[in-house]
Amino acid sequence: MTDALAIRDLSHAWGRKSALDGVGFRVARGRFSALLGPNGAGKSTLISVLTGLIRPRPGRVEIGGIDLARAPRAALAQIGVVFQSATYDAELSVLSNLRYFASLQGLDRKTSSQRIDEALDRLDMRERARERVRDLNGGHRRRMEIARALLHRPALLILDEPTVGLDAPARRAITDHVHDLTGHGVSVLWATHLSDEIRDSDQVVLLHQGRLQADGTAGALRAGSALSDWMLRETGAMPC
Ligand SMILES: Nc1ncnc2c1ncn2[C@@H]1O[C@H](COP(=O)(O)OP(=O)(O)OP(=O)(O)O)[C@@H](O)[C@H]1O
């Protein structure tokens, strides 16, 4: 089976400033991969490439086996994205937000209802379905956005620092739910600078100053020390 994501020799500069320099790694199907790095490491730039905001040049990106440069529409249809900033209609209910997105994805009514039920169950949001988004707390709003990103069954779920601004219980609930999704075959790329969101069995892709500093299983990379200490040794940056 093809990888959910394969990146080779990817570079990008903002003007003269290099943000990504020859980055390459893979995310296998059903894997939770943490894209880790201190501020300015290049995480957001990489996500901008993966979501089609920046052209992958030079370099090659395949999502679900589809080349992003050659077939951008088909490749982008393979991703579900949860951006750092919220994107929903707060005046509508959770259900209406999800139905609207499902219709944008071209899902018929029956498929849409099935997928919405499934996604709400996976994020433990079924009881909130009829509530207006503006009445939800930050953690539940985020869970709704994650449920929404799953409706078209993407090969890869990309989340850009999805727990920013949330309190500790909400952060824990979201990291647990997203880890659980991998048990349903969902592949995850989770950008963060918070090492406590990562489990030993997760893949860690560590970026530092635009370069790939490490790629491996968290437990093996940290080799007995705390992941935050390992990251400090690797990057010299204070972890959170
Ligand atoms: N739109 C932009 N224009 C110019 N420079 C940018 C732009 N976006 C990012 N950069 C620069 O590119 C480099 C990588 O930044 P990027 O935002 O990708 O890192 P990051 O790992 O996401 O950091 P953070 O955790 O702070 O969001 C930094 O030096 C940053 O200043």
Side-chain angles (χ1 to χ4, degrees):
M1 194 183 257
T2 53
D3 288 313
L5 176 67
I7 299 176
R8 226 183 311 148
D9 280 335
L10 182 66
S11 296
H12 181 76
W14 295 104
R16 289 175 158 196
K17 170 91 189 144
S18 169
L20 294 172
D21 184 4
V23 170
F25 66 91
R26 292 169 176 273
V27 175
R29 300 264 178 174
R31 196 94 163 96
F32 186 104
S33 298
L35 181 61
L36 188 64
N39 290 337
K43 304 182 296 295
S44 296
T45 304
L46 178 60
I47 287 178
S48 294
V49 173
L50 300 181
T51 52
L53 301 174
I54 302 173
R55 284 192 66 128
R57 203 171 48 186
R60 189 179 169 107
V61 174
E62 287 181 9
I63 304 170
I66 302 171
D67 189 310
L68 181 58
R70 287 196 186 163
R73 275 182 178 222
L76 292 173
Q78 300 283 313
I79 57 168
V81 187
V82 178
F83 288 106
Q84 226 178 84
S85 306
T87 55
Y88 46 70
D89 188 330
E91 301 305 321
L92 296 179
S93 68
V94 169
L95 204 51
S96 298
N97 270 281
L98 295 182
R99 280 192 185 136
Y100 176 64
F101 190 78
S103 72
L104 288 180
Q105 292 290 343
L107 301 180
D108 62 47
R109 191 177 273 265
K110 190 171 164 218
T111 311
S112 152
S113 295
Q114 286 167 347
R115 300 266 183 97
I116 288 172
D117 284 349
E118 181 184 275
L120 288 174
D121 281 344
R122 290 194 178 160
L123 274 301
D124 199 13
M125 282 286 289
R126 187 81 91 117
E127 285 172 14
R128 309 269 168 195
R130 300 198 178 272
E131 290 182 32
R132 240 179 4 164
V133 173
R134 69 150 58 221
D135 298 327
L136 300 179
N137 64 32
H140 286 122
R141 290 181 190 198
R142 265 292 111 134
R143 284 201 232 172
M144 180 203 68
E145 290 186 280
I146 298 169
R148 191 184 57 186
L150 295 171
L151 294 179
H152 59 299
R153 297 210 170 132
L156 182 69
L157 177 64
I158 299 172
L159 306 102
D160 190 3
E161 307 207 23
T163 60
V164 164
L166 300 181
D167 60 19
R171 276 183 59 208
R172 206 168 315 115
I174 287 179
T175 48
D176 286 351
H177 279 301
V178 175
H179 275 93
D180 289 349
L181 289 175
T182 59
H184 297 282
V186 178
S187 315
V188 175
L189 185 67
W190 172 284
T192 185
H193 56 271
L194 303 169
S195 55
D196 65 348
E197 294 179 344
I198 299 168
R199 297 181 181 170
D200 271 0
S201 57
D202 294 339
Q203 177 186 9
V204 170
V205 174
L206 179 66
L207 290 185
H208 180 42
Q209 296 177 345
R211 296 212 174 93
L212 183 74
Q213 185 89 0
D215 175 6
T217 306
L221 290 173
R222 73 183 182 87
S225 58
L227 194 61
S228 53
D229 291 342
W230 167 77
M231 188 177 144
L232 177 60
R233 283 198 302 275
E234 290 289 324
T235 66
M238 285 303 289
C240 300

